[in-house]
Amino acid sequence: MPHERKLHSAAVFKEIDIALEKVGLTYDRLVGIATDGTPAMIGKEQGLRGFIPRKLESLNVSKDQILWYHCIIHQESLCSKIIKFDQVMDNVVKAVNFIQSYALNHRQFRNFLDEINAEFFGFPYFTEIRWLSRGRTLKRFYDIREHVAAFLETKGNLCISFDEDKWMNDSSFLVDITHKLDVRLQGKEKLIHNLFGEVTAFQKKLDLWITQIADSNYAHFP
């Protein structure tokens, strides 16, 4: 249910009601709802979580049949606050802002990438609020990190220690968890079991890596 403007809970419920009627679905067939953690979604009085049960009661449908799920991507975003990779993201944001926020730097950087026939010509739009935009920005930064390092050096800006192994390792890991997993969690026709499978597979991969590293097996880290 894409929508261009920000909607409050009552408007969201109205859009859902219209969409269900349009495709011929009735509320007695509703078994699960996934939301993020905003008050407009989970508020039991004025949130969507309040509107849906009241609608069910008005139709004499049991509200106990509904299972409420928390959006998996939003959960991942919350987990990112605990990972404590601020030293990576803060430095990346500083570098991106240094290039993007100044017209001269932005133009010179694009010209620099054009001269060396780089695959990309800049960074995607970044906002701290949106987890997915962070992943895209990190991925692009990592892909052209050598070009960024060369450009920053010409400008005398050394906000990132590209030669520091720990920083590069942390940034590589952060790219994996913010981009590769997010891409798998997005797209149409992704049901809850698909998303759960992707997250579980990623967790298993992390467990495997931990075990292998403990055994001094670096097969996945050439």
Side-chain angles (χ1 to χ4, degrees), residues 27-184:
Y27 280 91
D28 60 324
R29 301 181 64 182
L30 183 62
V31 295
I33 300 175
T35 70
D36 59 18
T38 61
M41 293 292 104
I42 64 174
K44 292 186 178 181
E45 294 297 329
Q46 298 302 319
L48 187 65
R49 196 159 185 170
F51 282 99
I52 294 291
R54 287 196 290 271
K55 177 68 174 183
L56 294 176
E57 289 179 350
S58 70
L59 298 173
N60 293 320
V61 177
S62 174
K63 62 181 180 181
D64 296 331
Q65 72 180 33
I66 304 296
L67 294 177
W68 292 86
Y69 301 97
H70 199 79
C71 173
I72 287 181
I73 292 182
H74 190 256
Q75 286 181 321
E76 184 188 348
S77 178
L78 295 177
C79 291
S80 72
K81 305 297 183 181
I82 305 175
I83 295 177
K84 301 300 182 184
F85 275 82
D86 293 343
Q87 78 279 7
V88 173
M89 201 62 213
D90 288 349
N91 286 335
V92 169
V93 171
K94 287 179 182 178
V96 172
N97 285 344
F98 177 77
I99 294 172
Q100 299 286 87
S101 299
Y102 300 94
L104 177 61
N105 291 347
H106 189 198
R107 184 171 62 255
Q108 289 177 338
F109 184 62
R110 288 179 61 89
N111 291 339
F112 171 70
L113 294 178
D114 185 46
E115 290 174 1
I116 61 177
N117 295 317
E119 181 179 358
F120 303 107
F121 294 97
F123 299 100
Y125 175 74
F126 169 78
T127 170
E128 177 66 24
I129 298 175
R130 297 188 180 276
W131 171 252
L132 299 183
S133 77
R134 182 188 306 187
R136 288 191 293 268
T137 300
L138 270 172
K139 179 64 167 60
R140 179 67 57 80
F141 183 92
Y142 190 81
D143 288 340
I144 61 175
R145 61 191 182 281
E146 295 179 357
H147 306 323
V148 173
F151 179 77
L152 292 179
E153 186 175 356
T154 64
K155 304 293 288 188
N157 187 313
L158 303 177
C159 61
I160 295 181
S161 300
F162 288 91
D163 296 330
E164 185 179 329
D165 290 339
K166 184 179 185 307
W167 191 90
M168 289 305 301
N169 290 338
D170 288 348
S171 64
S172 300
F173 179 75
L174 201 57
V175 168
D176 276 340
I177 64 174
T178 58
H179 179 77
K180 292 184 178 179
L181 181 58
D182 274 342
V183 169
R184 296 189 181 99

Side-chain angles (χ1 to χ4, degrees), residues 186-190:
Q186 298 176 68
K188 296 181 179 180
E189 300 180 359
K190 291 289 185 72

Side-chain angles (χ1 to χ4, degrees), residues 187-200:
K188 296 181 179 180
E189 300 180 359
K190 291 289 185 72
L191 301 179
I192 184 65
H193 70 277
N194 301 124
L195 305 182
F196 180 77
E198 295 290 357
V199 173
T200 301

Side-chain angles (χ1 to χ4, degrees), residues 1 3 5 7-22 27 48 51-52 55:
M1 187 186 65
H3 210 284
R5 58 188 177 86
L7 297 178
H8 296 291
S9 54
V12 171
F13 172 71
K14 182 178 179 180
E15 293 283 347
I16 292 175
D17 202 41
I18 293 173
L20 291 178
E21 183 178 356
K22 185 176 181 180
Y27 280 91
L48 187 65
F51 282 99
I52 294 291
K55 177 68 174 183

